[in-house]
Amino acid sequence: MSITSFRPARVLAASAAVLSLIAAVAGCSRADEGQAAPAAASDKGPATELRLGYFPNVTHAAALVGLGKGLFTKELGSTKLVPTKFNAGPEAVGALLGGSLDASFIGSGPAINAYAKSNGEAVRLIAGTTSGGAQLVVKPTITKPEDLVGKTIVTPQLGNTQDVSLKKWLAEKDLTTKVKVTNLENAQTLDAFKKGDVDAAWLPEPWSSRLVLDAGAKVLLDEASLWPDGKFPTTVLIVRTQFLQEHPESVKQLLTGLVAAIDFTNSDKTAAKTEVNKQLLDLTGKALKPAVIDRAFGNITATVDPIAAQFPQLAKDQVTAGIAKTAPSVSGFADLGPLNDVLTKAGKPAVDAAGLDTK
């Protein structure tokens, strides 16, 4: 509604009726300018289904707890939850941008890529899930970065979170052209390491722990040591922008389930480990040894905070790593309003978007 929608012939300055019209029009204009109006216009109510991506990794512990304990399903009510397993971030990005996923737990690197590939339109960062839980593990004979010269190092997939982290670190150590970086699925990396085909790997949990405890690797670097206070976003939750606009209540329900899953994970780690291990058994056909899951859980922190302040640096890291020519813009990437509504309702402190919520 706008002033231009009224014919000038009907505007009589001395008319009380006109004054009423102007007041009404002004009111409509102010409503149109507000942030709530567009969302309300596109809100189609609860979604029929919510297609959710996740990975069978300990860095996705809260997602696995939420799925296993039915916490997402409980909150979503009549909305059918359709979970889909992925092995690495770029696959999930393809599904999101192709419209076959509505939301996904995903690494911070692929999350940025999803935003950049769509010119900042297709997806929004709506929550964190995990901080920490990635390590560079190596053969025992490798004791310093220089020992990696001529060696083969593995990451889960080209352009995934650990791939970017490794390549940035290699660039800083002047090792980029002196090592061979290859990509393997995590289970294949374990086998290759045991056979001696690879010398090192930058991996998320539980795979770094599996290489240490099951294959005799040792930690050369814990990625947490590279970040302020050891905090960096390993796993976050992103959603298709269109889904967020059309089904805001369903997104809040998903986030309510996530908050419950993270509370469960942090309040009863023993039960959380049991549930995660059960999910990993169902998803991969093999449960983790108690020592492996204990070590893996010790390296992660479950949190709804996406640690948004680190995203500009993560974007720059893609350039250093040679993944991107220019740092992707992350302005406008975050929409933490729904999460903060959920947190406020639960009596919990809000999380900071660190400027990522504005363009």
Side-chain angles (χ1 to χ4, degrees):
M1 193 175 186
S2 67
I3 292 176
T4 57
S5 64
F6 294 93
R7 294 181 180 178
R10 293 182 182 176
V11 180
L12 301 175
S15 168
V18 164
L19 294 176
S20 298
L21 279 172
I22 291 173
V25 169
C28 288
S29 297
R30 285 192 295 270
D32 289 345
E33 291 169 2
Q35 294 182 350
S42 58
D43 188 346
K44 296 183 178 180
T48 302
E49 65 177 17
L50 193 158
R51 300 163 298 176
L52 180 67
Y54 68 101
F55 305 172
N57 288 340
V58 171
T59 49
H60 287 238
L64 296 175
V65 167
L67 290 167
K69 289 292 183 182
L71 300 176
F72 301 137
T73 300
K74 175 186 174 184
E75 297 298 335
L76 285 167
S78 62
T79 298
K80 180 182 179 182
L81 181 66
V82 183
T84 303
K85 179 184 74 171
F86 292 88
N87 288 312
E91 300 172 49
V93 168
L96 280 162
L97 298 184
S100 59
L101 268 187
D102 300 310
S104 188
F105 294 97
I106 196 168
S108 53
I112 292 171
N113 290 341
Y115 185 67
K117 284 181 178 180
S118 64
N119 295 316
E121 298 298 329
V123 299
R124 290 292 181 269
L125 172 68
I126 58 170
T129 306
T130 304
S131 171
Q135 297 176 325
L136 173 60
V137 295
V138 299
K139 288 182 176 179
T141 53
I142 296 172
T143 60
K144 57 187 181 297
E146 293 74 19
D147 292 341
L148 291 168
V149 173
K151 302 293 194 284
T152 298
I153 311 174
V154 172
T155 65
Q157 193 169 25
L158 179 66
N160 95 313
T161 304
Q162 288 76 45
D163 192 62
V164 172
S165 297
L166 168 66
K167 289 172 179 174
K168 180 212 176 182
W169 182 79
L170 290 173
E172 291 176 340
K173 298 296 180 182
D174 193 27
L175 292 171
T176 301
T177 61
K178 301 173 185 176
V179 303
K180 178 184 177 182
V181 177
T182 190
N183 311 112
L184 288 174
E185 289 189 6
N186 295 320
Q188 293 175 333
T189 298
L190 177 62
D191 292 337
F193 193 92
K194 287 179 177 179
K195 292 176 183 176
D197 294 337
V198 299
D199 306 284
W202 195 301
L203 299 173
E205 292 291 4
W207 296 100
S208 56
S209 287
R210 288 206 64 184
L211 262 69
V212 169
L213 297 176
D214 295 346
K218 73 173 189 177
V219 177
L220 184 65
L221 177 73
D222 190 316
E223 187 172 351
S225 67
L226 302 177
W227 294 95
D229 300 321
K231 297 177 180 179
F232 64 101
T234 306
T235 308
V236 297
L237 179 60
I238 62 176
V239 65
R240 284 193 302 112
T241 308
Q242 183 180 358
F243 188 89
L244 175 60
Q245 292 171 343
E246 293 182 350
H247 308 291
E249 195 57 37
S250 296
V251 170
K252 283 188 181 182
Q253 290 167 342
L254 175 65
L255 289 168
T256 302
L258 175 60
V259 170
I262 287 176
D263 285 348
F264 182 95
T265 301
N266 288 330
S267 64
D268 193 340
K269 290 193 183 299
T270 299
K273 290 176 192 176
T274 299
E275 185 57 46
V276 168
N277 223 2
K278 178 178 179 295
Q279 292 297 309
L280 293 176
L281 175 61
D282 291 344
L283 294 166
T284 68
K286 190 171 184 179
L288 299 173
K289 296 176 182 177
V292 171
I293 199 164
D294 284 347
R295 184 183 184 280
F297 256 72
N299 290 327
I300 67 168
T301 300
T303 175
V304 292
D305 187 351
I307 317 175
Q310 303 296 7
F311 274 82
Q313 181 61 53
L314 288 165
K316 293 175 184 175
D317 290 350
Q318 297 200 3
V319 178
T320 308
I323 301 297
K325 291 183 179 179
T326 58
S329 172
V330 290
S331 298
F333 182 28
D335 186 347
L336 301 182
L339 173 62
N340 284 330
D341 286 347
V342 169
L343 292 172
T344 299
K345 186 176 179 181
K348 297 176 181 291
V351 297
D352 183 13
L356 262 63
D357 52 347
T358 56
K359 289 216 176 192

